[in-house]
Amino acid sequence: MFKRIFGIVAALFAAFFLYISPASAANGNAHFVQGGTTATTSGSSLVVHFKEAGLASGSTEYITSSANAAVTYECVNGGNKNPSASNKTTFQTKVVAPPQPFTADKNGNVTGTQTMAVPTAASLGFSCPPGQTTTLVSVVYTNVVITDTTSDATITLPGPYTYTNPSAP
């Protein structure tokens, strides 16, 4: 009798693990593809393109991106000059693309793009005196991190990714 009960319990455990195995194996192998995951600048924005593999077909994955940003703004007068060094300020901040849903294709892959805009001068607490214009000088993005919050896969692209405003004096 003990052998019979043990056999039934063993069969139930085997059936259970066979049932959950494909889903957990797919998510356990989730990873961003090194050559298929890149970052570039488009104007002053940071654009990440990613490919994640090893997912369950049809699964919904929530992906977010972030980066450190060194943003420089200056004040420009009517003569198109920066009149004072104190009117040029560099801010260290972080930019984030909030989690967005992406659906894995039949092969268990997700490809997508996320864009992060440079923070505005006002959001960083920078403004110019009357008669001067606030101008973005440059932004340097580093330590770009792309994370699938569903599968916990992550990849870091160190950078730097730089934009310099060609019209800044």
Side-chain angles (χ1 to χ4, degrees):
M1 172 117 170
F2 177 74
K3 284 184 179 181
R4 180 174 240 186
I5 292 173
F6 180 77
I8 292 171
V9 170
L12 288 173
F13 271 113
F16 175 74
F17 284 111
L18 286 175
Y19 174 74
I20 66 164
S21 178
S24 53
N27 285 337
N29 294 323
H31 63 281
F32 286 97
V33 177
Q34 194 71 31
T37 303
T38 61
T40 59
T41 54
S42 176
S44 61
S45 295
L46 179 67
V47 180
V48 295
H49 305 278
F50 55 84
K51 179 175 183 180
E52 185 180 11
L55 301 164
S57 173
S59 66
T60 300
E61 306 297 316
Y62 285 84
I63 298 175
T64 184
S65 301
S66 65
N68 296 331
V71 184
T72 303
Y73 280 100
E74 70 181 357
C75 296
V76 177
N77 65 20
N80 203 31
K81 301 283 184 211
N82 178 263
S84 167
S86 65
N87 283 347
K88 184 186 262 187
T89 305
T90 300
F91 299 89
Q92 301 296 325
T93 188
K94 189 170 197 141
V95 293
V96 177
Q100 293 175 282
F102 294 87
T103 303
D105 65 18
K106 67 179 181 176
N107 296 319
N109 298 319
V110 165
T111 57
T113 301
Q114 289 184 320
T115 302
M116 292 164 275
V118 65
T120 64
S123 73
L124 296 170
F126 183 78
S127 62
C128 294
Q132 295 185 14
T133 305
T134 304
T135 303
L136 173 67
V137 176
S138 64
V139 59
V140 178
Y141 298 101
T142 56
N143 196 34
V144 179
V145 178
I146 305 163
T147 303
D148 180 338
T149 61
T150 308
S151 72
D152 292 328
T154 189
I155 189 169
T156 300
L157 307 172
Y161 306 96
T162 303
Y163 167 79
T164 301
N165 185 349
S167 61

